[in-house]
Amino acid sequence: MTRIDQKTWADRIRARIDFEFARDAPPEGFPSLPLVPTGRYTDPDFYALERSRLWKRTWLLAGREEDFAGPGHFRTFDRSGSPLLLVRGEDDVLRAFYNTCQHRGAPVVREACGAAKRLRCQYHSWTYGLDGRLLHVPDRRDFGELDTSRRALAPVRCETYDGWVFVNEAASAPSLRDWLGPVAAEWSPLRGAGLRAHGTRRKRVPANWKIVADAFLETYHVRTIHPHSVSKLLDHRGAAMGLFPNGHSRMVTPKWPEAIERQRSLPSPLPEIPGLDPLFAETNPAYSLFPNLITPLDTVGFPFILFWPVDVATTDVEWTFYGPPAETSAQERGWQTLLALFDPVMEEDFANLGPMQESVASGALESIPLNYQERRIYHLHEEIDRRLGPDVPEALRVEPVLEPFWETESADIAG
Ligand code: FES
Ligand SMILES: [Fe+2]
């Protein structure tokens, strides 16, 4: 992996922003994006394919290292579509298992989170160690030839990067670090391990998860949907985007010069993440981690916005703000103010999504024409189809065209 300094990276992005401002058409050679069939948002079979081929076979954010403070601390996680259990072992290693007792399948842990010395199934008290091994079977004499060494909890991949904990049900998946690719390097100056959660919000939205995700992948909409909020801050015409392997992407949208000045003159009570290039104050660098995590970064911290499908037309949106630990009550209040300021922006986005789902379901819109500024949406859909494989019906497929435009260089950015 090449190691470059933040300034080199930031200068490259600045040059890209200048290019975006100056162009009067998409860059030479960039294709008109093929139409996206709207059945992708409504078809129950397509959704079932996503559940089995995508959500059960991809890395999903399941928490933070500090959510598992010491040995025995556990949490359940069911967003991939299976009941999972994450628990820190006596050796301090964080592991994930199916929350499925190897006797008759009762959940081993029923609470959403807690701490335990052993994991004891509440049905018949089979008892497992924190490493998943089966330690005790009541009335063992009545089981005949039961091989308890083969009745450990079924393991699930669990890996962490810089404080972020991910799980993946696919045993054959690439390592988390490989899958993150250039995003891991670009996040390294944010020093995730030193960040803390400052509050979580949740909202159930009556729309397919991709209608929701698409809405966070472009800034083409900010003038109309966010005229008094985001639009006062960001100039979408300079948005510089990067498409990465595995469906991840980046979008760095410059702030209006007046907005940068305004922010400088209104000092925040919140400490900045140390060592960030000034680009982080001049722009809004946003990342999308495939399939369902979007984060618009800022110098004091940022939300991780997650989209979890509930059914084909329902999505749970969950966003948590992270930043350096609050050390004073003024900083605590500062975080609450920041969260409260973000709520109406999210509501502006949400107000649109249910009606869009109704529209695509009505049959009134057969396909979606995406423009150059919306290419991160097309990139997401291309990766979805790569995951789903050849079973996607032809009428619902998107034609892959963006790979020649990927950024593949993996640079470790020194902060
Ligand atoms: S199902 Fe867990 S002990 Fe019987
Ligand atoms: Fe928006």
Side-chain angles (χ1 to χ4, degrees), residues 374-393:
E374 298 171 300
R375 63 196 181 281
R376 294 170 77 218
I377 297 175
Y378 201 85
H379 183 58
L380 168 83
H381 285 257
E382 278 193 17
E383 182 64 17
I384 290 169
D385 282 11
R386 275 188 287 276
R387 297 308 190 89
L388 303 192
D391 291 342
V392 178

Side-chain angles (χ1 to χ4, degrees), residues 101-107 121-126 128:
C101 179
Q102 296 298 301
H103 176 216
R104 277 167 50 203
C121 177
Q122 290 169 33
Y123 205 177
H124 314 92
S125 284
W126 279 32
Y128 302 85

Side-chain angles (χ1 to χ4, degrees), residues 14 30 44 49 60 73 77 122 189 197 263 297 330 339 397 400:
R14 285 190 186 93
F30 191 85
L49 212 52
L60 296 171
H73 285 243
F77 179 82
Q122 290 169 33
Q263 288 190 326
L297 303 175
L339 261 82
R397 264 183 231 162

Side-chain angles (χ1 to χ4, degrees), residues 215-219 221-222 225-226 230 345-346 348-350:
F216 289 83
L217 288 169
E218 46 89 357
T219 43
H221 72 275
V222 300
I225 290 290
H226 309 293
V230 188
V345 178
M346 294 297 272
E348 287 163 3
D349 284 309
F350 294 153

